[in-house]
Amino acid sequence: MTAPEADLSGWTATPFTGAGYTHDVYRKGAGPGVVLIPEIPGIHPGVLGLGNHLVDNGFTVAMPSLFGKPGKPKTVGYTVDVLARVCVAREFAALATNKERPVALFLRALARDLNASTPGKGVGVIGQCFTGGFALAAAVDDSVLAPVLSQPSTPFPLTGAQRRDPGMSESELATVAGRCANEGLCAIGLRFSEDGMSPRDRFTTLKQRLGDAFEVIEIDSRPGNEHGFGKMAHSVLTDEVREIDGQPAYEARKRVVEFLTERLT
């Protein structure tokens, strides 16, 4: 059995401009809104499979195409090429610590726009891998009620400071922590236990600042783990999902859908 995948069938693309940046946004579904930020190398078939799953569970999904070619399958060469491009893009500030990233401003504008055109109390935002932390940075905006950080990997964890960095500026984190303390904002973080790209230190920082409002789902990927996850297991909601009850990534995806439903409806 392989991870769920899909193509672009049924998705409509429209350019959206926010904070001076313009990206095509792929949209599908009805119901409360969820911004689904693709992982590197882009809106690949696994991300589309996740998007369709959210649509099937009653959400309107908006996927901004921040990099890569939508619908193109993931290969090593393609991934490396996209990674080289995003590493030097000012919009993402891949290595910077304590940084407000321009992409977060774009995502807040997109969240507000999606919230204005969908039912529900607010919107969810799911970030993955390179974009994982962008979901929490988007929650500076009041329209975001359900941020999900799946294996957040930015800034790239090359130093201790980068491993501990929450992926946003201190000002942004203080705002999000205030929302958690005073408005009942909650967030979910997901990672594999041995994933060096999404370090445990980053989750420790977020747990210290957000407390019980930050729900951590850590899946065992140690050698010999019960479910056979490899030491390179990384993408919780896409590559590692097998639609079998009890499979930890599948159960994590179920919890994300439950969380979105609880917070948005």
Side-chain angles (χ1 to χ4, degrees), residues 174-193:
T175 298
V176 171
R179 290 196 64 202
C180 290
N182 302 316
E183 301 174 24
L185 179 71
C186 294
I188 287 183
L190 310 100
R191 68 180 296 273
F192 283 97
S193 65

Side-chain angles (χ1 to χ4, degrees), residues 12-245:
T12 59
T14 305
F16 178 80
T17 300
Y21 292 88
T22 300
H23 297 287
D24 282 343
V25 175
Y26 287 75
R27 182 163 167 160
K28 188 177 185 180
V34 176
V35 176
L36 176 58
I37 319 171
E39 59 194 355
I40 286 178
I43 302 176
H44 63 75
V47 172
L48 287 162
L50 175 59
N52 281 350
H53 180 71
L54 295 170
V55 169
D56 291 344
N57 278 274
F59 298 101
T60 300
V61 177
M63 289 188 298
S65 181
L66 302 178
F67 36 72
K69 181 178 179 180
K72 183 175 180 176
K74 185 160 59 169
T75 65
V76 173
Y78 174 38
T79 299
V80 169
D81 180 63
V82 171
L83 192 58
R85 295 170 188 271
V86 301
C87 277
V88 297
R90 178 183 174 275
E91 187 177 4
F92 306 117
L95 298 174
T97 57
N98 188 24
K99 176 69 174 176
E100 182 176 53
R101 292 168 167 80
V103 69
L105 304 178
F106 171 85
L107 292 168
R108 287 171 207 157
L110 178 58
R112 287 192 296 271
D113 183 76
L114 183 62
N115 186 43
S117 63
T118 53
K121 298 180 289 185
V123 300
V125 182
I126 300 175
Q128 308 171 83
C129 178
F130 182 74
T131 68
F134 303 167
L136 193 61
V140 167
D141 194 272
D142 292 346
S143 65
V144 178
L145 298 185
V148 177
L149 298 70
S150 193
Q151 72 275 354
S153 306
T154 304
F156 293 143
L158 305 178
T159 67
Q162 288 166 327
R163 286 192 293 273
R164 293 186 297 271
D165 190 86
M168 65 194 77
S169 68
E170 170 57 31
S171 174
E172 289 172 304
L173 183 55
T175 298
V176 171
R179 290 196 64 202
C180 290
N182 302 316
E183 301 174 24
L185 179 71
C186 294
I188 287 183
L190 310 100
R191 68 180 296 273
F192 283 97
S193 65
E194 309 309 299
D195 185 2
M197 283 298 297
S198 182
R200 183 177 286 119
D201 290 351
R202 183 163 296 150
F203 278 52
T204 299
T205 295
L206 292 170
K207 190 69 175 175
Q208 288 171 343
R209 296 296 297 273
L210 306 183
D212 291 342
F214 186 52
E215 176 183 343
V216 175
I217 298 175
E218 185 176 88
I219 298 173
D220 184 10
S221 59
R222 293 173 298 178
N225 66 86
E226 177 185 355
H227 294 276
F229 292 113
K231 64 180 181 180
M232 301 300 289
H234 178 64
S235 297
V236 177
L237 298 176
T238 56
D239 294 353
E240 300 298 337
V241 170
R242 303 294 182 269
E243 294 181 318
I244 303 168
D245 286 337

